[in-house]
Amino acid sequence: MRNRTSPTALKQALLALLMLFTLGLLAACGGNDNDHHPPPGPTTGSLAVTISGLPAGVNGAVTVTGPAAYSKLLTASATLSDLAPGAYAITAANVAYGTGSLAATPATQQVQVAAGATAGAGVAYAATAPLALALQEVASGLQAPTFLTSPPGDSRLFIVERAGRIRIVDNGILLATPFLDISSRTTTDGERGLLSMAFHPQYASNGYFFLYYTDLIGNIIIERRQVSAGNANVADALASVQIIAIAHPGFSNHNGGLLSFGPDGYLYVTTGDGGGAGDAAGNAQNTNTLLGKMLRLDVNASSIVQPYAIPAGNPFVNTAGKRAEIWAYGLRNPWRYAFDTTAQLLYIADVGQAQREEINVVPVDQAGNNYGWNIMEGTQCYNSATCNQTALVLPKVEYGHDSAGGCSITGGYVYRGTALPELAGRYLYSDYCSGWLKSFTYSNSSASAVTDWNITNVGNILSFGQDAQKELYLLGGSGKVYRIVRKQ
């Protein structure tokens, strides 16, 4: 009789084969928990930078740079995270503080950042000696230097002499041949003469510069000139376009005297009230005359047929009985003004009558301001116990005609050079009679930190100058020009 497999045994065999097949599938699919890979490790690191020694309210200047063009400016302590591993450079700059500075130590350092770790670095600030200023003579033998300037990007100094010449200092040498001589077209009686010049912002390509002078009968002349084609140190004597002539009859003083290009590319001109005393003619408050004003002109397409155009934003455009050239009015004798492009502010130093000298500070785009003369002199009513001050713009800084003050303000510039970082943002000014050098800072609509820099024995200060690098100069009545430098 044959052996036969029972149904029960057959079922058990089939179940065993099924279990083996299932286990094989699980193994092939990685179903075994012991085959899991470990989680990946960290791929970035951190850097903790500690900045110490800063007084309250003072920001540091610490720059961190590293892999993949990483760059971060820190003003206070911070921890930087998610950094790619590698070498990081930390550069710390000195910062201004009062009239001195806070020095950073170390100035440079390098730190290695590793994945999964936090590296550390420290920068300590400490006060240095307060800034002291001195004057360095750069030219002498000049005849009443009234202004100094430079074309954009040019190392030469162009010095205006009141008698009608423009001289050049090149590599420290005062060139014998004038850049331009218009002495036959002006006089030096009273306060007349060649008073300033301005280079067109595109001087390097068009060669244009502009003059402010009084002619032989005392009219104020604004004129465009051009450098010669063959010699960068000599102007073309024949290339001349008169921009505007402003009648100034009767008196030889209060001619204003400055023209310059504003941040908007337009030409600004300040004129005096016409002279004499007290503005008896009422020119400064009369918006139908160009005396006692700041003008704004578009000279970018000047020609003999149309020497200037009126910018659309001038306050009296298309206003009957008012001159469209006017940007601001109520000025007595604004000998010098300055634009601070960085802060977008305009500083106007207006020479007073007999009591007060003043400096006005306003936003550069503020049109139609009335600075008050002859309703007021500084913050005081002029020749009256009371006056209507409605809508008048009053000065931010003023001083009296006394032993601590002077007699005639000489406005300067806000320092934006690089040689004296502690001086950055300060407006410098002087007085023709007293010859001191002072400065103040301006923020939140207020002037503060008035500082006397203890400059003495310079004599009469005729003007300030600014070169292409934004360094500042004093021009003395003795015929000398000085650069303002750090006292050693």
Side-chain angles (χ1 to χ4, degrees):
M1 181 174 178
R2 291 182 176 179
N3 292 331
R4 300 179 64 182
T5 303
S6 70
T8 301
L10 182 61
K11 288 180 179 179
Q12 290 176 344
L14 290 173
L15 285 173
L17 287 172
L18 181 61
M19 288 180 66
L20 288 171
F21 180 71
T22 302
L23 289 173
L25 287 175
L26 288 173
C29 294
N32 191 336
D33 289 343
N34 292 330
D35 288 340
H36 284 166
H37 295 290
T43 59
T44 63
S46 300
L47 173 59
V49 181
T50 302
I51 302 175
S52 61
L54 292 171
V58 178
N59 291 330
V62 178
T63 302
V64 179
T65 57
Y70 181 87
S71 181
K72 179 75 172 180
L73 174 64
L74 301 179
T75 58
S77 298
T79 297
L80 308 175
S81 57
D82 297 325
L83 300 180
Y88 285 77
I90 302 172
T91 304
N94 295 353
V95 296
Y97 180 60
T99 59
S101 65
L102 301 173
T105 304
T108 59
Q109 55 185 304
Q110 186 166 295
V111 176
Q112 198 74 26
V113 172
T118 299
V123 174
Y125 279 94
T128 62
L131 174 67
L133 297 180
L135 300 180
Q136 179 185 76
E137 184 179 311
V138 297
S140 61
L142 296 156
Q143 295 185 19
T146 53
F147 196 61
L148 180 152
T149 187
S150 298
D154 199 311
S155 63
R156 295 171 297 171
L157 305 177
F158 288 71
I159 302 171
V160 174
E161 292 182 314
R162 187 176 159 216
R165 290 175 294 274
I166 300 174
R167 308 290 299 278
I168 293 177
V169 174
D170 191 7
N171 291 321
I173 305 298
L174 180 64
L175 304 185
T177 302
F179 177 66
L180 180 68
D181 187 344
I182 63 162
S183 56
S184 63
R185 305 180 65 168
T186 188
T187 67
T188 57
D189 56 308
E191 297 173 0
R192 293 170 174 161
L194 178 56
L195 305 181
S196 68
M197 69 179 298
F199 290 99
H200 192 279
Q202 280 76 52
Y203 176 79
S205 58
N206 63 28
Y208 293 149
F209 62 97
F210 295 77
L211 304 179
Y212 188 128
Y213 68 95
T214 56
D215 67 13
L216 297 175
I217 60 173
N219 295 324
I220 295 170
I221 304 296
I222 308 300
E223 192 171 80
R224 190 188 76 186
R225 292 284 185 142
Q226 191 168 13
V227 68
S228 65
N231 188 343
N233 288 331
V234 177
D236 186 332
L238 301 178
S240 173
V241 174
Q242 186 178 102
I243 302 300
I244 193 170
I246 303 170
H248 190 289
F251 300 97
S252 61
N253 63 340
H254 298 189
N255 299 291
L258 183 62
L259 76 173
S260 70
F261 284 88
D264 53 13
Y266 295 126
L267 184 67
Y268 288 74
V269 177
T270 47
T271 64
D273 65 7
D279 191 15
N283 288 322
Q285 290 298 315
N286 181 359
T287 51
N288 197 31
T289 178
L290 299 183
L291 295 175
K293 308 295 189 297
M294 171 174 270
L295 314 180
R296 187 172 76 146
L297 310 175
D298 183 349
V299 296
N300 291 306
S302 297
S303 66
I304 295 175
V305 176
Q306 185 181 7
Y308 65 90
I310 302 296
N314 280 15
F316 303 126
V317 172
N318 299 323
T319 304
K322 299 179 185 293
R323 293 293 297 264
E325 296 92 340
I326 295 172
W327 178 255
Y329 62 107
L331 295 165
R332 182 179 177 274
N333 193 30
W335 169 239
R336 293 294 178 251
Y337 64 88
F339 290 103
D340 179 21
T341 303
T342 301
Q344 290 292 291
L345 293 172
L346 167 63
Y347 293 71
I348 303 177
D350 198 7
V351 178
Q353 177 66 46
Q355 299 293 328
R356 313 298 293 170
E357 302 298 309
E358 68 178 75
I359 302 171
N360 302 280
V361 188
V362 298
V364 295
D365 59 355
Q366 195 173 92
N369 288 336
N370 181 352
Y371 292 104
W373 175 252
N374 62 353
I375 300 169
M376 303 186 72
E377 182 183 5
T379 58
Q380 300 176 356
C381 294
Y382 178 69
N383 272 356
S384 177
T386 61
C387 58
N388 183 1
Q389 302 181 27
T390 304
L392 301 183
V393 177
L394 300 185
K396 299 300 183 180
V397 169
E398 64 177 344
Y399 62 87
H401 289 198
D402 51 42
S403 59
C407 76
S408 178
I409 190 167
T410 304
Y413 296 88
V414 174
Y415 182 78
R416 295 296 180 188
T418 59
L420 304 167
E422 305 95 319
L423 206 58
R426 291 176 174 268
Y427 175 79
L428 280 77
Y429 62 105
S430 185
D431 185 87
Y432 173 79
C433 296
S434 299
W436 39 251
L437 177 63
K438 294 183 180 181
S439 70
F440 65 84
T441 57
Y442 185 83
S443 63
N444 299 320
S445 301
S446 178
S448 62
V450 176
T451 302
D452 188 330
W453 292 97
N454 296 315
I455 299 295
T456 59
N457 302 319
V458 185
N460 301 125
I461 302 300
L462 303 182
S463 186
F464 282 74
Q466 183 184 59
D467 65 22
Q469 291 72 44
K470 307 298 183 184
E471 300 301 330
L472 301 185
Y473 299 77
L474 283 178
L475 283 64
S478 63
K480 293 183 177 181
V481 173
Y482 305 91
R483 182 183 289 112
I484 299 173
V485 298
R486 187 184 303 275
K487 187 174 184 179
Q488 300 300 318

